[in-house]
Amino acid sequence: MLFKDNKNNTQKVSRRGTVQETPHEVIKKVCCAMREKNYDPTSQLVGYFLTEDPTYITSHKNARTNMSKLERYQFIEEVVKFYIEHSIDEEV
C-alpha cells in the first residue's frame, strides 16, 4: 500500500530541489515593482487582500505571479512580525 491508513498523524510534504523565496523577499520585490510603476504599494496591497483581485498587483517584473505564490496567512504573518519587531516598544 502506497499510503498508510494513519489518521492520527499529520503528514508533512516538503518541496525538494526548489528554492522558495521568503515572504519578505516576495513582498519586497512586489513593492519595488509597484513603485517603479508609480503605484502606492500600501493601497494596492490592501485592495488586493480585501478583494482577492489580482489586478491590484502590477504584472511589471512578474510581481503578480510572485505575489500569487504567497498564501494569505504568510503575508499577514510577515506584516505582523515586522510591525511587532519595529513598532512596539520593548517595555510592553
Side-chain angles (χ1 to χ4, degrees):
M1 177 182 270
L2 184 58
F3 296 100
K4 293 181 181 179
D5 186 20
N6 190 347
K7 297 178 184 176
N8 295 325
N9 295 325
T10 301
Q11 299 299 317
K12 183 176 180 180
V13 178
S14 62
R15 296 180 188 182
R16 295 182 188 183
T18 61
V19 177
Q20 187 176 7
E21 291 180 306
T22 66
H24 178 81
E25 292 167 334
V26 171
I27 294 165
K28 185 176 179 179
K29 285 182 179 180
V30 168
C31 288
C32 287
M34 286 194 277
R35 284 188 185 113
E36 285 181 12
K37 296 303 272 183
N38 294 318
Y39 294 120
D40 174 20
T42 302
S43 297
Q44 298 303 113
L45 289 170
V46 168
Y48 173 70
F49 281 103
L50 287 177
T51 65
E52 297 184 28
D53 182 354
T55 61
Y56 277 94
I57 307 299
T58 182
S59 58
H60 179 63
K61 292 191 172 180
N62 294 319
R64 190 176 298 158
T65 301
N66 290 332
M67 195 65 187
S68 70
K69 294 176 185 177
L70 280 183
E71 296 291 331
R72 183 179 242 162
Y73 78 89
Q74 290 176 298
F75 176 82
I76 294 169
E77 182 178 57
E78 186 68 24
V79 170
V80 170
K81 179 179 147 187
F82 184 87
Y83 180 80
I84 289 170
E85 289 174 357
H86 294 90
S87 299
I88 297 178
D89 292 335
E90 302 242 348
E91 297 176 16
V92 178

